[in-house]
């Protein structure tokens, strides 16, 4: 039995733990195996030195996520250890949640939780608290029938990293090694460290692997993670980035099974004036920017949700999104200056070459434009959208816009094997040339020429496996050496 669950406030009679201060709010999926009636769920708690009473976290099963009745919710009690020196980085707390699972002889459900399209993108409601909420996305890997993967490229076990909560101290380590990053909370910073190619076991790459998936949490509320133009050959495996943006301007940067959230209400709380949130640390609640000449930046198996814009891509070469999911994109009505729009992918300032989105489920809008608001920009060339689901856009699924004069701009590429449905205006695709909308694709081919093949505008039938889950079944978390070996 597979079901969704989330942390929440406990009953009024309990002493509630404060999300963000005492624990990291979480929403995820879990599976009770055949023959069992319970499963352990992990929630990260945060230790401090304050003396306080025991506090409680409620863990609730989402009724709409499973066909079996829910018998009871779970609870976690955080036991106060008294005033003391703060503990080392947090470790997961577990709770057992019980549902009325079928008898042991009944077969377990094998459909992954993200394979059946919901009527609307999944949402995670922020808890009722004055503390800015954060969420952690579901981490699920469907069962794989793929042949065994080749072993990792060699050699020594992962080395220990520095004793630091500054992620830059890890990224500044030498390349050609794997570093195990302990579970806990870290902060961002500006990094501009090159890792030259080598003939070593990892070809010069510095591979930073979370101790457990999702539990190395990089809190970007006080500073973004900025990977400058000299940064190269760094891979993040299983990290969670919350409360801010990641900026990538380097080369050969890979995010493998990472999670990214930056809710608009968190963004508004960060600003000195919540009525003018764009005046704060971040101009907009966007989780990832790839820009400023970045090359060969990859996102594999990553989840981006609970934000306004998932990806902003400008002035890049050979950027790839593969096995990615996006959902729950909204400004939550907290953007009075209208600086951000709920786009899954916003490549709206031109100058991208070879931008590819494949094997993914994009819940939201794909916006491609050749000109920025200030008149700068350039052509979008070699775009590839292949083996995708795109659903639930606030307008059309894809909007291609050419505003620069012919010869200095344009949008050019291909869409192949794309299922696009459930959009607010009913259109899969709209082309816009010099402000004029066209519902026929490539009506002005000198300005927009994105060739379509195998495009479906119907919702997937029950039980169909999403392209993202297909990719993840074939490429599980520990298969990251495939990327270094050039097998992807």
């Amino acid at each position: 039995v597979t079901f969704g669950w989330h942390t929440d406030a406990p009953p009024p009679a309990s002493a509630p733990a404060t999300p963000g201060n005492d624990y990291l709010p979480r929403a995820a999926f879990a599976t009770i195996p055949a023959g069992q009636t319970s499963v352990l769920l992990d929630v990260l708690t945060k230790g401090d030195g304050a003396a306080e009473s025991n506090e409680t976290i409620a863990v609730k099963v989402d009724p709409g996520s499973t066909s079996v009745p829910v018998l009871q919710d779970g609870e976690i009690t955080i036991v106060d250890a008294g005033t003391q020196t703060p503990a080392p980085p947090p470790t997961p707390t577990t709770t057992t949640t019980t549902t009325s699972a079928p008898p042991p002889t009944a077969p377990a459900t094998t459909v992954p939780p993200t394979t059946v399209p919901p009527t609307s993108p999944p949402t995670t409601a922020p808890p009722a608290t004055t503390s800015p909420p954060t969420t952690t996305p579901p981490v699920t890997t469907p069962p794989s029938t793929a042949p065994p993967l080749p072993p990792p490229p060699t050699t020594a076990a992962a080395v220990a990293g520095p004793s630091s909560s500054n992620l830059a101290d890890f990224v500044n380590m030498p390349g050609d090694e794997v570093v195990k990053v302990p579970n806990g909370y870290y902060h961002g910073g500006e990094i501009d460290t090159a890792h030259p190619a080598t003939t070593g076991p990892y070809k010069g790459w510095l591979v930073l692997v979370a101790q457990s998936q999702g539990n190395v949490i990089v809190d970007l509320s006080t500073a973004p993670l900025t990977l400058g133009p000299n940064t190269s050959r760094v891979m993040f495996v299983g990290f969670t980035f919350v409360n801010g943006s990641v900026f990538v301007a380097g080369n050969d940067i890979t995010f493998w099974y990472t999670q990214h959230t930056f809710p608009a209400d968190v963004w508004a709380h960060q600003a000195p004036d919540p009525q003018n949130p764009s005046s704060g640390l971040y101009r907009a609640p966007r989780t990832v920017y790839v820009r400023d000449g970045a090359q060969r930046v990859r996102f594999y198996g990553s989840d981006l949700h609970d934000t306004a814009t998932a990806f902003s891509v400008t002035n890049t070469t050979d950027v790839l999104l593969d096995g990615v999911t996006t959902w729950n994109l909204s400004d939550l009505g907290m953007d009075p200056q209208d600086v951000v729009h709920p786009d899954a992918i916003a490549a709206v300032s031109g100058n991208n070459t070879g931008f590819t989105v494949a094997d993914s489920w994009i819940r939201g809008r794909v916006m491609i434009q050749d000109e920025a608001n200030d008149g700068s920009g350039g052509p979008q060339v070699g775009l590839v959208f292949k083996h995708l689901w795109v659903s639930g856009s606030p307008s059309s699924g894809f909007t291609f816009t050419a505003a620069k004069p012919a010869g200095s701009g344009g949008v050019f590429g291909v869409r192949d094997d794309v299922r696009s449905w459930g959009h607010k205006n009913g259109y899969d695709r709209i082309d816009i040339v010099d402000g004029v909308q066209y519902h026929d694709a490539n009506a002005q081919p000198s300005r927009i020429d994105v060739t379509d093949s195998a495009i479906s505008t119907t919702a997937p039938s029950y039980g169909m496996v999403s392209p993202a889950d297909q990719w993840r079944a074939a490429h599980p978390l520990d298969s990251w050496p495939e990327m270094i070996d050039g097998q992807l």
Side-chain angles (χ1 to χ4, degrees):
V1 175
T2 294
F3 61 93
W5 64 275
H6 64 277
T7 56
D8 204 344
S14 304
T18 302
N21 292 338
D22 298 315
Y23 70 97
L24 183 74
R26 189 170 187 194
F29 287 96
T31 298
I32 299 177
Q36 300 183 29
T37 59
S38 64
V39 65
L40 292 178
L41 310 176
D42 290 341
V43 176
L44 275 176
T45 58
K46 300 176 70 172
D48 57 34
E52 51 193 348
S53 60
N54 295 346
E55 297 170 316
T56 303
I57 308 166
V59 178
K60 297 186 177 182
V61 175
D62 301 324
S65 66
T66 179
S67 60
V68 300
V70 178
L71 296 182
Q72 64 184 54
D73 294 326
E75 282 193 354
I76 297 171
T77 298
I78 303 176
V79 178
D80 179 57
T83 303
Q84 57 180 336
T85 302
T91 55
T93 301
T94 60
T95 185
T96 301
T97 295
T98 305
T99 74
S100 59
T105 55
T109 300
T110 57
V111 179
T114 58
T115 60
V116 182
T119 55
S120 60
T123 60
T124 304
T129 172
T130 56
S131 300
T134 61
T135 57
T136 302
V139 180
T140 58
T141 303
S144 175
T145 56
L149 295 165
T154 39
T155 72
V159 302
S163 203
S164 171
S165 62
N166 185 350
L167 190 60
D169 292 336
F170 288 84
V171 181
N172 288 334
M173 294 180 68
D176 211 30
E177 62 185 1
V178 178
V179 179
K180 185 78 74 175
V181 181
N183 290 345
Y185 289 83
Y186 297 82
H187 59 85
E190 294 191 9
I191 301 164
D192 207 26
T193 301
H195 301 94
T198 71
T199 58
Y202 302 105
K203 301 182 181 179
W205 282 78
L206 171 65
V207 184
L208 303 177
V209 180
Q211 179 183 345
S212 61
Q213 184 182 0
N215 289 328
V216 170
I217 299 160
V218 185
D219 186 344
L220 305 174
S221 58
T222 59
L225 176 64
T226 302
L227 303 174
N230 292 314
T231 309
S232 62
R233 292 181 183 82
V234 180
M235 181 188 295
F236 301 92
V237 179
F239 280 53
T240 295
F241 298 90
V242 300
N243 302 336
S245 304
V246 175
F247 295 84
V248 184
N251 305 320
D252 300 298
I253 309 293
T254 294
F255 296 81
W256 185 274
Y257 280 88
T258 53
Q259 307 167 43
H260 305 257
T261 64
F262 187 13
D265 49 356
V266 172
W267 169 65
H269 277 91
Q270 290 174 350
D273 177 8
Q275 299 305 312
N276 185 22
S278 61
S279 65
L281 174 62
Y282 295 100
R283 183 172 184 270
R286 301 183 177 110
T287 47
V288 170
Y289 294 80
V290 187
R291 63 185 196 179
D292 299 337
Q295 300 183 47
R296 298 177 301 280
V297 177
R298 313 287 196 236
F299 286 82
Y300 292 110
S302 295
D303 294 314
L304 294 85
H305 74 99
D306 288 279
T307 189
T309 299
F311 291 99
S312 174
V313 183
T314 301
N315 190 23
T316 69
T317 301
D318 195 18
V319 170
L320 172 64
L321 314 181
D322 207 356
V324 164
T325 64
T326 66
W327 74 90
N328 200 20
L329 307 176
S330 173
D331 67 6
L332 302 178
M334 307 192 79
D335 179 20
Q337 283 74 42
D338 195 30
V339 299
V340 69
H341 302 103
D343 298 325
I345 298 171
V348 295
S349 298
N351 283 327
N352 291 304
T353 300
F355 178 37
T356 298
V357 187
D359 310 309
S360 297
W361 187 355
I362 305 301
R363 298 174 181 91
R365 179 169 52 199
V366 179
M367 292 283 290
I368 309 294
Q369 182 172 318
D370 65 356
E371 184 177 66
N373 291 335
D374 63 1
S376 63
Q380 306 268 14
V381 179
L383 303 172
V384 177
F385 301 97
K386 185 176 179 66
H387 193 214
L388 295 180
W389 286 2
V390 178
S391 64
S393 165
S395 56
S396 59
F398 292 79
T399 300
F400 300 127
T401 300
K404 296 188 75 64
S408 62
V411 179
F412 307 99
V414 298
R415 295 194 309 161
D416 179 33
D417 188 15
V418 173
R419 184 178 294 274
S420 174
W421 80 96
H423 309 304
K424 186 173 182 179
N425 66 11
Y427 289 100
D428 154 53
R429 167 181 174 175
I430 292 177
D431 294 357
I432 303 175
V433 178
D434 296 333
V436 178
Q437 291 191 11
Y438 297 89
H439 298 294
D440 294 328
N442 307 320
Q444 298 284 336
S446 65
R447 308 289 297 282
I448 297 177
D449 190 356
V450 180
T451 303
D452 285 344
S453 62
I455 306 298
S456 172
T457 56
T458 60
S461 59
Y462 181 86
M464 289 184 68
V465 179
S466 76
D469 281 343
Q470 293 177 42
W471 185 93
R472 295 176 191 201
H475 307 283
L477 177 67
D478 60 0
S479 67
W480 57 262
E482 291 181 327
M483 197 284 302
I484 291 177
D485 285 346
Q487 298 177 28
L488 294 180

